[in-house]
Amino acid sequence: MSNGPEGLRPGEQSAELEPANDARLRFIGTIRTPWHDRRDCPRQGRLDGPECQMVLDPVWHAALQGLEEYDTIEVLYWLDQSRRDLVRQSPKSDGQTFGTFALRSPVRPNPIGTAMVKLLRIEKGTLVVRGLDCLDGTPLIDIKPDRCAFTPKAPPKAGS
Ligand code: SAM
């Protein structure tokens, strides 16, 4: 189904917005994947997906110390090719609409993507992972272990 004059699908709604006053994010590197067109990207990454690289800027290499202990890590990335003004979206172009915050669509006011990925190895500041779903060249925002030694423990249950 074709998109309308503003690139909107049937049922979609955009907002009139001031130019974004970005919160001065600091990208820490670049993600390398096999996908160069959004239509080829998986909707969500799979842990048995292809190997991808997260290439960190050299200034952050020392920040990886200890991360090799983790099999699964959380990645945050900036879906830089997304429009950011849709309030309602029709992901399947079939006229069925959803509010932006009821979707994991890349189209959102602040297009942050997140994924839990499998860490295969770290090679000179490049993390080799499986489980990503973003385009080649997507800016990297942050990396976190799934849990760490400093994660607060859950309080004991009453009566235990
Ligand atoms: N896993 C993340 C999440 O749940 O937050 C992202 C999910 S989003 C549905 C993944 C889709 O975003 C891909 O299928 C592709 O269509 C699109 N995408 C990937 N990289 C992008 C980029 N750099 N800019 C805009 N859209 C992108």
Side-chain angles (χ1 to χ4, degrees):
M1 194 174 291
S2 65
N3 293 342
E6 288 178 63
L8 297 182
R9 297 166 175 156
E12 288 189 333
Q13 178 187 341
S14 62
E16 277 190 35
L17 300 174
E18 298 291 322
N21 177 12
D22 284 340
R24 301 179 76 88
L25 286 175
R26 198 189 286 277
F27 298 140
I28 60 167
T30 304
I31 300 180
R32 294 285 162 211
T33 73
W35 305 295
H36 298 273
D37 187 309
R38 267 180 273 189
R39 286 167 299 189
D40 300 328
C41 264
R43 295 290 302 163
Q44 291 293 339
R46 297 171 50 115
L47 296 183
D48 62 355
E51 286 191 10
C52 298
Q53 288 81 35
M54 306 198 305
V55 184
L56 248 67
D57 293 342
V59 70
W60 297 111
H61 286 185
L64 294 172
Q65 185 180 344
L67 193 70
E68 67 281 354
E69 300 297 324
Y70 294 88
D71 292 329
T72 309
I73 57 173
E74 187 175 5
V75 183
L76 286 80
Y77 38 103
W78 189 252
L79 297 160
D80 57 338
Q81 295 190 29
S82 294
R83 65 184 291 174
R84 300 172 63 174
D85 62 339
L86 288 195
V87 178
R88 278 201 264 254
Q89 304 182 37
S90 308
K92 291 187 186 162
S93 298
D94 63 358
Q96 208 190 351
T97 59
F98 299 87
T100 289
F101 301 136
L103 295 168
R104 292 199 71 98
S105 161
V107 174
R108 47 203 327 111
N110 296 300
I112 294 173
T114 65
M116 296 298 290
V117 303
K118 186 171 175 53
L119 176 60
L120 302 176
R121 57 189 179 277
I122 302 177
E123 297 167 343
K124 294 186 185 152
T126 293
L127 289 80
V128 182
V129 302
R130 289 188 199 274
L132 282 170
D133 53 16
C134 59
L135 291 170
D136 187 50
T138 295
L140 182 58
I141 299 175
D142 205 355
I143 298 166
K144 304 183 189 193
D146 56 349
R147 293 181 64 78
C148 76
F150 311 106
T151 303
K153 292 199 173 96
K157 289 190 185 132
S160 65

